[in-house]
Structure formats: C-alpha cells, structure tokens
Amino acid sequence: MKILILGGDGYLGWPTAMHLTAQGHNVAVVDNYLRRSLCREENVEPLVDVPNLHQRTASWESTSGYHIPAFIGDLTKWEFVDEVFREFSPEAIIHYAEQPAAPYSMLNRSAATLTLCNNLEVTANVIFAVQQFNPDVHIVKLGTMGEYGTPDIDIEEGWLEVDHKGRHQKFLYPRQAGSLYHTTKIMDTDLLWFYVRTWGLRVTDLMQGPVYGIFTEENRIDENLYPFLNYDELFGTVLNRFVIQAVADYPMTVYGKGGQTRGYLNLMDTLNCVRLSVENPAAKGELRILNQFTETFSVNQLAQKVQRVARSMGFKADISAVENPRKEAEEHYYNPAHTGLLDLGLKPQFLTDKVLAEMIEFAAKHKKAIRPEQIYRKVRWDHNLT
Ligand code: USQ
C-alpha cells in the first residue's frame, strides 16, 4: 500500500517507516522537526544523537535498499499539506504529527498554546486533505489511553452502550484526561468522529499506552537508525526513564505513591499494531477505536522490575518516592479492555527480564552521555500558567 507517515521523524514515526517498507509497503514520511526544536529550546536531548530524516532515509536505503521520500515542512500550513498530497497520493495515512508530551504541554502558557494549536490544526488539515484529495483514504490516528483517564469502572474499547429511561444508545466512552496534551487527543477524536458522521470518512483511532524500548527488527544493524530515547522529565516516558536512571545511579523517580497504573507496550508492538490497523482498514463511515497496549503495570511494579534486573547486572538501582509534579490519582481502579488488536492478529512481546536487560545494556553502553540534571525538574501541573 501507499502509506504516508505524518510525524515520520519521531520516536514511533521513524521505526514505523522502516518497518512498513520492510513489509513491502510504499512509504513517505513528513515532519517539521518540532520535537527536535522543542527539546533544544528546553535544553534536553535524547541519550543517543539522532541523524536528521534525510540522513536516516539514506542510511536505511543503503542497508535495506528501500527508498523513503521525506517531506520537511509544517502540516499546520495548508500550502504544504496540498503539496504533499499532490506529490504522494496515499491510500492510508498514519498520523503521529503531534506535540507528544504531556509534561511539556503543562510547562507554561506558550507550550500549552503550541500543543493545542499544533495538534488540532494538523488533525483538521489531515481531515480536509483526505476529503479533498481522496475520501477513501484510511486515516490511522495515534490517540492515547490517557483520553479515558482513570474512571472507577471498566474502560471499554472506545464506546459505551448506555440504557437510559428505557431507551438505548451507543456513545463514545466518556473521556476525562489528566493533561492538556491528552485533552488535545480527546478533541482529535471528537473532530474525527464528527467528520466520520458528516463525510463518511474511514478512520482508526488507536488509544495507545506509554511505549518503551529502542530496538526493532529493522534498526539493530545500524546505530544511525535508532529512534529518540528521551529520559528527561518533559519528553521521556516512564520505563525508558527508569532504565536510564538505574544505569546513572540516580534513584528511580516514582511519583507519589506509585500506584498509578497504565497499559504499556514494547516499541515493536506499536509497529505491529499500526501495521495491522493499516492492512485491515476501517470501513467507510466507521470510526474504529482500538486500545493499544499489551500489559498493565503500576509505577511501583515497573520500578521493582527494573531494580531486580539492574541489580542482577551490578547496578545499585535504588528507588525513591519523590513529590509528584503531576495532578493524577496515585491509587485507583484500572481495568481497560484490549481485544481488538489481538483479534487482528497481534502477537504481544511482553516485558520480560531479557527485554529489560537489553535496554539496560544499551543505556550502560551510553552511560557517559547521560545528563542527570535533565531527569527531575518538577514541572508542576497545578501551577498558574506564565
Ligand atoms: N511517572 C513516574 N515517574 C516518572 C515519570 C512518570 O512515576 O519519572 C508516572 C506518571 O506520573 C504517570 C505514569 O508514570 O502516572 C506514566 O507516565 P509517562 O510519562 O510514561 O506517560 P504519559 O505522560 O502519560 O505520556 C506517555 C506518552 C504519550 C502517550 C501516553 C499514553 O508521552 O505520548 O499518549 O504515554 S497514556 O499514559 O496511556 O496516556
């Protein structure tokens, strides 16, 4: 299939591009390096330097023979969207092109406004472009499990059947996010649902949990093909952070009581979930919602797993309960459904000791590059915006 990946420079976008070409698809990537420039502005950087998209596509082409055209530009600008769609008319679009970090969205007023405007404008432009150029195109949109929040009832896969005063209706499952970033994802879902009803678009909205890992089948051959591995408080996700903290002899930063439970998945599972979604498209006029994670863990459980494996490898790997900069439930019920992707054929790769040991080994190899001051800067979520 002809697949356009928006946000093709990112932690998920670049590995997805390689994976889909290796599976025989014809892929192009689009990015404006927003995440790179925000990291630079905030003085944080990934563990390992990541070459730019032109360099990475050239490295991938020389090792694999697959060519991936790269469009560099801003998808909030219609002229650029128009150019990309005219040059590469896709059959499917994978939309990752958003400011992806919850803590960054809570940093200050300009970060909040940027997150809101960027995420919603890109989603709107994707919808308008599909309607204008080819309404049959399947949009696969990366949403987040965080859209649901942590309600005290089971979380369903996107929808809730409601019986009310003797009548029945199916609604989007109630959403109540914990950060502005997560709230923009709810707004994305609403926009997509509106245009599915109005224009009969074909959409899959993937509610993804936090992702961990660095290796994929495609990138092991060449360090230049690795994705960003951020471990700072703004852009790093929790398990990647804990692995690097353990190696840096920095006590693992469990926020508050550590009972916060989420649905996690390996980076390789993200690639398979997205591929399965693209290869089995939603019907016309359907908003298909799939919960994208493989196992649930509390933050305490994650820290203890990392501690056990890291200690067996000679690291101290202490755990420290630090003040929680976020506003979130630290002990709560969590039971989300996730059968849709398994039904499509997903074979999960669970968080085994071997997977953790490999991540720890990688971090240890790059230990000298770790900057501890990036790890915990206490961006409080309940402060006044400035
Ligand atoms: N946490 C800690 N210590 C840390 C970092 C995080 O205890 O040092 C806790 C957080 O308070 C939270 C949990 O770990 O309860 C997960 O945090 P995270 O930073 O790994 O994930 P989050 O900010 O929710 O966002 C990440 C991705 C985002 C994606 C989301 C899926 O950055 O793009 O949408 O995971 S989910 O969390 O299911 O909404």
Side-chain angles (χ1 to χ4, degrees), residues 7 84 158 208 307 315:
V84 172
Q208 185 172 245
Q307 181 176 64
F315 295 98

Side-chain angles (χ1 to χ4, degrees), residues 9 17 43 95 109 123 139 151 163-164 196 207-208 218 239 267 284 286 292 299 302 307 311 331 350:
D9 189 48
N43 191 21
H95 173 16
R109 192 186 308 118
T123 300
I139 302 174
D163 289 305
H164 184 64
V196 164
M207 302 293 124
Q208 185 172 245
E218 294 77 24
L239 184 60
L267 174 59
K284 260 193 101 46
E286 181 190 11
Q292 183 163 313
V299 172
L302 285 181
Q307 181 176 64
R311 283 192 170 164
E331 286 172 325
F350 295 114

Side-chain angles (χ1 to χ4, degrees), residues 100 144 146 181-182 208 238 241 253 255 260 262 299 326 328:
T144 168
Y181 152 77
H182 289 99
Q208 185 172 245
V238 63
R241 278 165 60 70
T253 53
Y255 291 168
Q260 302 91 309
R262 303 285 184 268
V299 172
R326 306 187 181 193
E328 61 183 353

Side-chain angles (χ1 to χ4, degrees), residues 28-39:
V29 290
V30 186
D31 213 292
N32 63 345
Y33 297 138
L34 175 68
R35 183 214 181 99
R36 289 178 189 254
S37 63
L38 298 181
C39 285

Side-chain angles (χ1 to χ4, degrees), residues 12 99-103 142-147 179 181-182 185 207-211 231 233-239 241-242 245 252-256 258-264 299-300 302 322 324-326 328-329 332 334 375-376 381:
L12 307 177
Q99 190 296 96
L142 255 286
T144 168
M145 283 299 292
E147 292 186 35
S179 78
Y181 152 77
H182 289 99
K185 296 274 183 173
M207 302 293 124
Q208 185 172 245
V211 181
Y231 57 94
E233 178 180 320
L234 293 177
F235 291 92
T237 48
V238 63
L239 184 60
R241 278 165 60 70
F242 283 178
Q245 291 171 8
M252 284 176 266
T253 53
V254 168
Y255 291 168
Q260 302 91 309
T261 303
R262 303 285 184 268
Y264 292 85
V299 172
N300 283 328
L302 285 181
V322 298
N324 192 346
R326 306 187 181 193
E328 61 183 353
H332 58 89
Y334 201 62
I375 291 174
Y376 185 51
W381 292 24

